[in-house]
Amino acid sequence: MKINTWFGVLETDRAGKILESRLLSKDVRELALHSLSLRDNRSDLSPEGFDLKAAALECGFVESSAEYYSLLHKITLEAAKLQVSGALTPDQRIIQAVEALDDVNETTNSLSERLSEWYGGYFPESGLAGEDLSLFIAKYGSRENLDPQDPLYSKARSSMGAKLEPADEVLLKGFAESVCSLYERRRQIETYIENSMELVAPNLKLVAGPMLGARLISLAGSLEKLAEFPSSTIQVIGASKALFKHLRARAPSPKHGIIYSQPLINTAPWWVRGKIARAVASKLSLAARIDFYSGKKDPSLTEKLETKVLLIRTLNPRPPQKKQESGAKPRKKRRK
Amino acid sequence: MAEVKKLSDGIFEVIKGKKQLATKNLDPGKTVYGEKLIQVEGIEYRTWDPRRSKLGAMILKKFNIPLKEDSKVLYLGGASGTTISHVSDIVSEGAVYAVEFSPRSMRDLIGLASRRKNVYPILADAGKPDSYSHLVEPVDLIFQDVAQPNQAEIAARNAIRFLKKDRYLLLSIKARSIDTVANPKEVFKEEVRKLEKAFEPGFEILNAKDLMPYHEDHLGVVAKLK
Ligand SMILES: C[S@@+](CC[C@H](N)C(=O)[O-])C[C@H]1O[C@@H](n2cnc3c(N)ncnc32)[C@H](O)[C@@H]1O
């Protein structure tokens, strides 16, 4: 019988004696690639209990046990490295970026609040917040340094804030610069995600927008998994808390997870949101599949979705009549 | 002064203030997961935290661990290599075939394997032993800690393919990975039944104990193919 091994192909007789062998050269990379090519191989597998090392010695591939193990060690390491580097696919990079963005946002918000709290003691009337405030502080430091053209000049002159001592000013300016660069970093990551989404999942980007699309990939774990999800799952991705509550305690099933941020859903009147969420989820699912399997951009996806949503809204112009609350005494139905 | 007591081949108890499970460090001076290094009479031991390792817990729960210096081990579900590092210490002249299917964990395993010549990393699904049958020789022990619903099946497939005659399978069963709401005792009973009956030729269960207080809702099992 024929047997595939990491070091070559063997031909054995019924008793397991090697009759013939085609051995590979002892090149680590070549052997590693060969080993990887055998992963999905279904034919000529070694029989149960086949002693690879004894065979490698018998056919003369290696001279000693020690040589066998040392070579096998090198090739398993090399093959695993090749596989791991191949695992960082473009969609995985997007996921890393999404996670980094979440971290940056969290840090930015808390540092930005700290800055506002801190500087508030020196210029409470500024009315600035977030990036504007950090840019202002990084530029001027003390409100006394404001130039007369600045719209805040008169407020600064009459401020009830304390005087900013030089040592505190140095500290605050440095802190503000860090916050500014975090805002900068945020934009940089967002741009990266937008550009990558256009390459990796153009249809998903089209239907969901770049950020929502990237978040869906991130929550699913990969574009492949997202493409495999039924649209009912996509509809509630990110609503896991509500979903578990629904499963455990028979709370109402969630109508939407993070896809709620899709404008078609969140601008619709409440009574059609569930229906629209379903329509959007089904287009998202289609988009993810096209992206994963073909990658061609299909601009008609959004048009079709918009038509569908318009139809839903036209067919349901008014909120439905309030249904009887369960638990309340059922009143007799009155007929006209 | 520290004192050392041998529990079984390659497995020790280092007594320095308190008793601690330990192995001889095959990679002197290096720690793997923040464990302690203790020198006794010129030999460096690495302490083994049973709370971070099902196998470590099994040893303290008095399971017999049939490992020798030159044993060949197939380790399924290697994660980042916490336990594998100790197995590698124990079988210093043997081999540990470390199967793990998460690329992220494999990154850590590769780091470990590049420092330890007896660790062979394999990125593969343990449920598909055919995909690594061209690499793995018959082994003296299979240790499995995959925390998957189909773990009995995974164990059977690998044992049939790779376990030498009359050698052992060590298994950690996590109740919650099978059924998140059922009573763990019921889950364990069912899993043991599966190991015994669900596959030809079936396993003979030699020992089965929970891993408390080190791991909640985990069962340690030692089995042999019938
Ligand atoms: C509980 S952890 C193992 C911890 C490890 N034994 C230790 O003590 O250091 C389970 C590991 O099994 C891996 N795993 C789960 N299913 C697997 C499969 N079918 N094939 C290979 N690895 C698997 C998971 O990725 C995870 O890293």
Side-chain angles (χ1 to χ4, degrees), chain A residues 16-29:
Chain A
K17 202 171 129 48
I18 298 174
L19 304 172
E20 212 190 304
S21 54
R22 256 173 299 133
L23 303 175
L24 285 113
S25 77
K26 289 182 194 164
D27 178 273
V28 172
R29 193 163 175 99

Side-chain angles (χ1 to χ4, degrees), chain B residues 146-154 174 177-179 191 194:
Chain B
V146 292
Q148 289 285 319
N150 60 338
Q151 53 197 324
E153 191 184 337
I154 294 180
K174 181 181 174 193
S177 63
I178 313 256
D179 188 326
E191 286 303 299
K194 270 194 221 159

Side-chain angles (χ1 to χ4, degrees), chain A residues 4-6 35 38-39 42 45-52 69 72-73 75-77 80-81 83-84 87, chain B residues 72 95 97 103 106-107 110 113-114 116-117 119-123 128 130-131 133-138 160-161:
Chain A
N4 272 313
T5 73
W6 64 270
S35 169
L38 288 179
R39 271 176 312 168
R42 293 275 162 277
L45 297 169
S46 62
E48 287 160 15
F50 184 73
D51 193 339
L52 286 164
Y69 286 118
L72 181 59
H73 188 246
I75 79 124
T76 51
L77 258 177
K81 282 183 189 166
Q83 279 173 290
V84 167
Chain B
K72 313 285 188 285
Y97 295 93
M106 185 47 73
R107 224 160 77 195
I110 288 173
S114 44
R116 289 170 174 264
K117 64 176 179 32
V119 176
Y120 304 81
I122 300 174
L123 181 69
K128 297 180 181 147
D130 284 354
S131 69
S133 63
H134 62 287
L135 289 170
V136 177
E137 64 182 318
I160 291 168
R161 197 156 230 317

Side-chain angles (χ1 to χ4, degrees), chain B residues 91-151:
Chain B
V91 301
S92 53
E93 299 295 319
V96 189
Y97 295 93
V99 177
E100 167 59 54
F101 75 174
S102 142
R104 175 63 192 89
S105 296
M106 185 47 73
R107 224 160 77 195
D108 296 338
L109 266 184
I110 288 173
L112 186 79
S114 44
R115 307 190 54 87
R116 289 170 174 264
K117 64 176 179 32
N118 61 356
V119 176
Y120 304 81
I122 300 174
L123 181 69
D125 181 349
K128 297 180 181 147
D130 284 354
S131 69
Y132 46 89
S133 63
H134 62 287
L135 289 170
V136 177
E137 64 182 318
V139 297
D140 302 293
L141 180 93
I142 296 182
F143 182 80
Q144 176 175 315
D145 180 15
V146 292
Q148 289 285 319
N150 60 338
Q151 53 197 324

